[in-house]
Each structure stands twice: as C-alpha cells, then as structure tokens.
Amino acid sequence: MNTLGTTDTAPWWSGALAGLLAAATGVSVATGLAAVLTGVPSPIESVGNQAIDQAPPFLKEFAVRQFGTADKPILIGVVVVTLALVAAVAGVIGWSRPRIAYGVVGLIGLVAVFTAAIDRTATANRALSMIPALVAFVVSIATFRFFLGVLRFAPKSGDELPSTFDRRKFLQAALGASALIVVGGAIGNFFGSAAAAASRAGIRLGRAADGAPAIPSGTQVDLKGISTFITPNRDFYRVDTALRIPDVPAEGWSLRVHGMVDKELNLSYRDLMGMALVERRITLTCVSNEVGGPYVGNASWIGVPIRDILAKAGVKGGADAIKSTSADAWTCGTPLEPVTDDRNAIIAIGMNGEPLPLAHGFPARMVVPGLYGYVSATKWLVDLEVTRFADFKAYWTTRDYDAKAPIKMSSRIDVPRSFQSFERDAVRVGGVAWAQTTGIQRVEVKVDGGPWADADLGTEDTIETWRQWSWKWDDATKGRHTLTVRATDANGETQTSDRARIRPNGTTGWHSVQFTVE
C-alpha cells in the first residue's frame, strides 16, 4: 500500500534527473574550486580546450564564420549539453542497473582527469591542475550514489525496481544538490578573473613620453553607420583560443626575454611602466576575417617598442624570428624584421587611454602593424624567445597556416548594410580600407555592372591605420542594386578580385552588398 509521498516504483525520469543533478553538482563544485586556484582551468574548460586544440582547421574556420565571437559560449554549451545527455542516460540506467551507470560516470571522470592533465592553458603544476577534475569525479559519484539510495534501489533478483519511491525525500535531495550547484557557480563567477580585475583597477597610465599626434581633421567621415575611426574597447573584435580569460595580475607578472640574445631579461610590469612609453594608433586584423568581415579594428596603443627591449637583450646573428607565448601557453611566431625595423611594433600595456582590458591581453600583449594577429598579436604575453623559424612551430603553423602572414590590402562597405533601403535622393555609401605599411591612395565603387567611380577619401592618419571613404550616387535609379568596392595602395597596386580562402594566409576579393533604392 502507498503512503503519503510515496509510489510503488520510482518513475524513469527520476533516474535521469538524479544523473543530471549528480553531474551538475560535481562540475559546479569543481568550477568553484578551480576559480580560487591560480592557473587551474575547470573540468568543462579543460574538455573544451582539448576540443579547440584537436579540432581540424576547417572546423575552426566554420565556427568563426558561422558563430563569430559567440563560438566559445557555443562550444561550452555543446560540452555541457553532451555531459547532461550522458549523465541523464547514466541516471536512467542506474534506475535499474547501477553498476553499468557507475561505469559510465567513471568514464566521464577519467576523460575530465585526462584532459586536465594535458591542458596547455593550466599555468599551475599538473598535480594541482588535476584536483578540480578529481573533485568533480568524487562529488558526482557520491551524489549519484546518494540519489540511488534515495530512490531506494533494493532489488531482489538483480533487475527489479525498488519497492517504494519517497518523493519528498527525493525532492529534498534535489534541493540540496541544487544549492551546491548554485554556490559552486557563484564562486566560479566571483573568482574567475578577480585577481587580474583588481590589479587592473589599481593601475593609472600616465602620458606616454612619445605620444601620438592629434587625429587629423577629416579622418572621421561624416556618414551615419560608418565605423568610428577609433574602435571603442567594448566593440573591438576578439578572436583567440581562450575559453576563460587568463587571470594574470600585474603584480607578480614578468616578461622573459631569452634565446638567441646576449643577455636574458626578466621584465616586471613596473619595469615596462618605467621605460620610455610610446603611443601609436594601429589597425589590427585577424586572419579569420572574411572579405567584408568584422574582425578588424583600429585603436590607440600605449607600450614599449619591441626593438628597444631587444636592443637591451642584444640579438645574436642568425636569428630571424620571435616565438612568443601567452599565459595560457598559446604560441606565436613573428618575423624578426617587422619588430626591429622602423614600424611601430610594441609591447602594449594600454588601449585607448586605459590599461589593456582583460579580454585584450592585460597586463601586456604584442601589437605589430602589418601582420595578421596569429603571427603578431599575442595576448597575456609572458615569454619572448629570439630564435629561428627553422627551429620551432607555433600554434597555428602546425595547423596549415603560413609562418609569415602580412596583412593583405582590403576594403569594406559599412553603409549600406545588406538589403538596406535608401530614398532616391539620399544614396550615400561608405566604409573603410586598409593597406598597412603602405597606405591607401584610392578607393573606387561601382553599382551593378557600371563603371568604377572614385570615392571621397577621409584624411589619412598614418599608413598603419585604416582609412575611411564615402561616395554619393547622384543619379540613383529605383530598384535593387549591387554595390562593389576596391582599393588601391600608395604603390599603385589595386586590390585583386580573386577570391582566396582564410587558410593559409588570409582572404582576398572585392566586397559587395545588395541594397534597394525606393
């Protein structure tokens, strides 16, 4: 006979819920623990990091193309959903066959521990880095076992269901697990980048000894919808492999300069602040930027010229590259010449008048004009090794990308957006173009199959920044039209119409959009 709060058998969904809650409890507790340990990723992050590192290049390109800067949350979501499904299935199995269920949970735990052991982003020692995964495994197993006890699994012949199911006790257990999940998640959110955030908040950047000149009048084109000449920090693109922004406070941070040098250097943040700082406006571009894409931005950077740092160290003959490493062990190979010639390659500590944002490399990063980011723009920088390309491979050069990747001349239409409509007497268009280290001399547009027409150029700031352009169609005709843009650099070379894919060294082609004149 049933009593209040019980049924004859536990429903199947109670096992699925038990599995989900057990997995969530283990992951949440481990995430909170990882957040308070310096340099230790959570189990979910370790699994995600392995997914990133093992993914073939075409899959990475697909993710960036389809999801943009949301690729990381989507990856984490995929990992979480996969774990939830497996945990739910284990819970249903545990409802009648607990040994098999324990085996499934154990396998999940082994995957978590293994990925933690080999996670390149962990800056702590391997033993410490594995602790959250081990805790997740132990907590998940213990919680799962407890739930199965609440389900009162007491078989008589191996596969029989429990005789009664106490719904009230199950609800109490679920609420208790949920409380642990909330606490673990709150700790993870609070401590995720707490040290770096507190460190950054206490830094005040003074004026650079060699400041950037005022932006020339006419640089910003007066056209609604066009990109601002200086990209605000909040809008600046972010493309990297970090699932969690490294928590690197300026206190205790150092930059090691070594390799083929006369004298090894270890520079603190205070050392960089005490050097002759320069301020330069430089446009950065990601190699993942498709024709007309958003992964390009222009900012004012404050930092120390890399050539000054290398001069202190003394570069030995035969070196032709710098291998740079981030706090999460991402590596980058940069040609030596662009960081030692007269272009403005710097170790940046400031962006648009404030310390580097956490997402853009605090406390220090590389900024090298004229090179795609994957060979020049290491964020959360901790190591510079002067070396030779023949002696190493960097993260992306092991994935079929070229070791040397100068940014290709390109132009983009900001106005109109695709399928935008204009009144017949108000068709004015515009955008940006860039040819770093050379400069933009001319921008042309054409409508449909018509002739090319010269656009009006905004004032050039420097050859290391993009240049804005605009054009008014005075004799616009009604209907749907296609607008195309191309640029010509200061050497007289015109942008090619040939389409090249992202890999191995960046896209080419003309940008076009369709719009309507009403």
Side-chain angles (χ1 to χ4, degrees):
M1 175 181 291
N2 292 344
T3 60
L4 183 63
T6 66
T7 61
D8 288 337
T9 60
W12 70 268
W13 56 261
S14 62
L17 183 58
L20 283 171
L21 289 173
T25 302
V27 168
S28 185
V29 170
T31 299
L33 177 61
V36 300
L37 297 175
T38 302
V40 177
S42 71
I44 293 293
E45 290 167 343
S46 290
V47 173
N49 286 330
Q50 279 305 300
I52 289 174
D53 289 351
Q54 300 305 320
F58 78 87
L59 190 57
K60 170 259 180 187
E61 293 161 8
F62 172 82
V64 173
R65 183 170 59 252
Q66 296 298 319
F67 308 122
T69 54
D71 59 341
K72 297 175 184 64
I74 288 174
L75 174 59
I76 290 293
V78 170
V79 173
V80 170
V81 169
T82 301
L83 174 62
L85 290 174
V86 174
V89 171
V92 173
I93 294 173
W95 185 58
S96 57
R97 294 177 175 82
R99 291 183 180 178
I100 297 176
Y102 286 139
V104 173
V105 175
L107 181 61
I108 297 173
L110 288 175
V111 170
V113 172
F114 175 74
T115 55
I118 63 174
D119 193 340
R120 64 172 173 81
T121 72
T123 56
N125 64 67
R126 291 303 173 192
L128 184 61
S129 299
M130 293 167 62
I131 289 177
L134 291 169
V135 168
F137 173 66
V138 171
V139 171
S140 295
I141 284 287
T143 306
F144 192 42
R145 184 179 180 85
F146 178 77
F147 269 110
L148 290 187
V150 172
L151 293 175
R152 297 189 64 183
F153 183 83
K156 297 178 180 179
S157 60
D159 287 338
E160 292 183 17
L161 299 178
S163 56
T164 60
F165 171 53
D166 190 330
R167 289 176 294 185
R168 182 179 291 110
K169 192 172 183 180
F170 183 83
L171 178 60
Q172 291 171 345
L175 290 174
S178 298
L180 284 176
I181 294 169
V182 171
V183 170
I187 293 174
N189 287 332
F190 182 79
F191 288 98
S193 297
S199 175
R200 180 179 182 273
I203 293 173
R204 296 293 180 269
L205 290 179
R207 294 181 63 86
D210 183 2
I215 298 174
S217 176
T219 300
Q220 177 70 51
V221 171
D222 184 15
L223 177 63
K224 184 178 180 180
I226 199 170
S227 302
T228 57
F229 180 70
I230 295 294
T231 308
N233 291 353
R234 66 180 181 276
D235 298 331
F236 208 93
Y237 75 90
R238 179 196 167 196
V239 178
D240 52 52
T241 63
L243 285 179
R244 181 174 69 171
I245 296 171
D247 190 12
V248 186
E251 301 77 16
W253 172 89
S254 66
L255 173 62
R256 182 189 180 203
V257 183
H258 63 109
M260 298 175 67
V261 296
D262 298 326
K263 180 177 66 174
E264 181 173 321
L265 303 177
N266 278 282
L267 303 173
S268 67
Y269 193 81
R270 185 180 296 273
D271 290 333
L272 290 185
M273 291 277 284
M275 298 178 72
L277 298 178
V278 302
E279 181 182 18
R280 298 291 184 265
R281 290 185 289 273
I282 299 169
T283 296
L284 298 187
T285 307
C286 180
V287 74
S288 297
N289 200 48
E290 297 277 4
V291 173
Y295 304 130
V296 56
N298 186 48
S300 180
W301 308 91
I302 294 177
V304 179
I306 299 176
R307 61 175 174 270
D308 291 357
I309 293 175
L310 294 182
K312 286 180 176 291
V315 176
K316 292 183 177 180
D320 65 1
I322 290 179
K323 177 185 177 183
S324 55
T325 306
S326 67
D328 61 353
W330 184 85
T331 56
C332 168
T334 308
L336 185 62
E337 182 179 359
V339 301
T340 54
D341 62 16
D342 59 358
R343 73 181 74 185
N344 292 297
I346 63 175
I347 303 299
I349 59 174
M351 181 179 182
N352 290 336
E354 61 183 64
L356 286 173
L358 302 185
H360 293 291
F362 180 85
R365 66 170 294 166
M366 289 177 65
V367 175
V368 183
L371 300 179
Y372 284 119
Y374 82 95
V375 297
S376 70
T378 304
K379 293 183 279 193
W380 313 293
L381 180 68
V382 295
D383 190 278
L384 288 179
E385 180 184 358
V386 180
T387 182
R388 300 182 306 169
F389 277 115
D391 296 336
F392 79 101
K393 293 286 187 181
Y395 186 92
W396 285 113
T397 52
T398 62
R399 292 162 171 80
D400 302 326
Y401 283 78
D402 285 351
K404 301 177 182 180
I407 294 173
K408 297 174 180 178
M409 174 172 45
S410 192
S411 54
R412 186 181 74 193
I413 301 167
D414 290 345
V415 182
R417 302 293 184 185
S418 293
F419 309 113
Q420 185 175 346
S421 296
F422 291 97
E423 294 293 333
R424 184 174 177 179
D425 59 350
V427 182
R428 188 171 175 224
V429 302
V432 290
W434 57 94
Q436 284 185 300
T437 73
T438 303
I440 292 294
Q441 174 180 280
R442 184 182 191 188
V443 171
E444 300 168 281
V445 296
K446 69 175 180 178
V447 178
D448 303 325
W452 289 103
D454 284 318
D456 296 322
L457 291 177
T459 305
E460 182 179 73
D461 183 15
T462 74
I463 60 174
E464 294 178 348
T465 62
W466 59 13
R467 193 169 184 182
Q468 296 191 342
W469 61 269
S470 66
W471 179 74
K472 190 174 188 306
W473 190 13
D474 292 318
D475 53 349
T477 58
K478 291 184 178 181
R480 178 170 292 183
H481 302 282
T482 298
L483 178 72
T484 305
V485 64
R486 70 179 183 185
T488 299
D489 68 17
N491 292 332
E493 180 180 347
T494 298
Q495 182 183 345
T496 180
S497 62
D498 295 338
R499 286 278 176 166
R501 62 180 187 173
I502 289 172
R503 188 166 21 106
N505 56 19
T507 59
T508 60
W510 296 339
H511 185 211
S512 297
V513 297
Q514 289 189 330
F515 68 101
T516 300
V517 176
E518 297 177 342

